[in-house]
Amino acid sequence: MVTRVGHIALHVADLDRAVDFQQQVIGMVETERAAGVSYLTCNDRHHELILVEDRINRGYEHLAMEVADAAALEGAARRLQASGGTLLGGIYDGEPGIDRALKVQSPNGHVYKLFCGMETVDAPPPGDRAEKFEHISTKVRNMRAEERFLREGLGFRFSDRMGFLASWWHCDEDHHGLALTLAPRPELSHYAYTWPDFGSLGRTADRVLAARGRKCIWGPSRHGPGNNHFLYFHDEDGAMIECCSELAQMQADGYQPRTWSMHPKTINQWGSAPPLRFLLTGFPIAEPTPGRPSWAMAPGRSLEAVR
Ligand SMILES: [Fe+2]
């Protein structure tokens, strides 16, 4: 049912600083700003990232998944509920850049937004920027329930598994659009952008240092599942970004789903085990709001309007 991974919406403490970081490091451009919300892209889609200014409620607002059209959205509700999801209101419209959407909470409490009708914009000029928003990795307490929701509710297909600790799922040619990791509490592990090649990851690490004087967390190196290059660092508000290149393509590469051993080499083909900063980073789930959030429509957003 889901045809591609859309974007993520993150609460940020200082909208200008968060936008500046995404512009300088990732190469994002702002396509629209309204009511304390910034819509950013790196290609011809209206947005690949949403930043919501909120100095109080730290966390992510939703994980957005695209479906084909309005009919697919209308057909989704029963399937989402039957697979353990809880609807957060009905189908709504009015959000900038998209036609309509439906929000649902997964069995582990993660908040997904299914949407259709992404608007297009003039693509930014060629430059050292990400190609697209690629995947999202979440931490969950109940793997079995979340996997059922991904498979039967969202329509994702199995890609790889590492013992009982992690699994990777795809909805299109990319090896994974969603990944799950077993953890004590449900949080966002990281969100990821696609980059053209390994060299662009090095230049991104340079920009993290130049823009904020910060070190990266892990990488660059190569994962086993997905066979992609990776580089991890924190964004302006402490959510973890992964930059990827050479992510396996399921059909084109003839990728065979498999179960990997729970060994550090599985997730780092070249080097050492992940550092504690990687393992312990988690960005919380912001208080879920039902569909048609007030901030999306309000002419002058206030914190009261968000809550
Ligand atoms: Fe990842």
Side-chain angles (χ1 to χ4, degrees), residues 1-169:
M1 182 178 48
V2 169
T3 54
R4 69 169 280 166
V5 174
H7 49 274
I8 190 169
L10 299 162
H11 287 191
V12 299
D14 183 323
L15 188 60
D16 287 336
R17 276 191 67 83
V19 168
D20 178 73
F21 182 87
Q22 296 286 341
Q23 288 174 331
Q24 287 200 45
V25 175
I26 309 296
M28 303 296 275
V29 296
E30 191 173 52
T31 54
E32 189 168 343
R33 188 185 292 212
V37 184
S38 174
Y39 299 84
L40 299 124
T41 193
C42 51
N43 51 45
D44 67 352
R45 292 163 64 82
H46 180 273
H47 54 276
E48 295 274 71
L49 177 70
I50 301 176
L51 300 177
V52 182
E53 188 163 58
D54 191 328
R55 296 173 197 276
I56 298 170
N57 299 310
R58 182 172 181 267
Y60 83 78
E61 215 265 354
H62 62 258
L63 316 171
M65 303 286 131
E66 187 162 9
V67 300
D69 48 32
L73 202 58
E74 279 160 21
R78 202 173 64 177
R79 184 172 168 170
L80 292 167
Q81 289 177 297
S83 60
T86 305
L87 297 182
L88 297 169
I91 295 172
Y92 64 96
D93 61 11
E95 278 199 56
I98 61 169
D99 176 14
R100 61 194 73 185
L102 173 68
K103 289 169 85 173
V104 59
Q105 197 160 23
S106 79
N108 280 267
H110 286 289
V111 179
Y112 286 89
K113 180 178 84 182
L114 275 64
F115 72 94
C116 63
M118 174 62 74
E119 292 175 10
T120 55
V121 294
D122 291 337
D128 212 3
R129 66 179 86 253
E131 293 178 340
K132 66 169 185 173
F133 189 86
E134 183 184 272
H135 73 265
I136 293 165
S137 181
T138 61
K139 299 184 174 192
V140 298
R141 293 177 65 173
N142 186 333
M143 289 283 282
R144 188 183 292 263
E146 200 76 359
E147 288 184 352
R148 177 172 169 244
F149 177 76
L150 263 54
R151 189 176 56 243
E152 298 175 13
L154 299 178
F156 275 69
R157 301 177 292 281
F158 175 68
S159 297
D160 274 323
R161 183 180 301 287
M162 184 175 73
F164 58 81
L165 277 181
S167 60
W168 290 262
W169 300 80

Side-chain angles (χ1 to χ4, degrees), residues 135-137 168 176 179 190 192 223 228 232 242 244:
H135 73 265
I136 293 165
S137 181
W168 290 262
H176 55 280
H190 59 268
H223 284 315
N228 56 292
Y232 293 90
E242 180 183 8
C244 297

Side-chain angles (χ1 to χ4, degrees), residues 184-248:
R185 58 178 175 271
E187 293 175 311
L188 174 73
S189 169
H190 59 268
Y191 60 102
Y193 295 106
T194 301
W195 291 81
D197 52 38
F198 186 74
S200 60
L201 301 193
R203 294 192 296 278
T204 303
D206 284 340
R207 290 193 297 272
V208 173
L209 185 63
R212 293 294 187 269
R214 291 208 301 260
K215 295 178 182 175
C216 292
I217 297 171
W218 192 29
S221 187
R222 187 186 286 281
H223 284 315
N227 198 39
N228 56 292
H229 299 133
F230 66 83
L231 172 72
Y232 293 90
F233 51 87
H234 284 144
D235 70 13
E236 193 67 22
D237 291 84
M240 191 156 60
I241 296 175
E242 180 183 8
C243 294
C244 297
S245 61
E246 293 190 6
L247 181 65

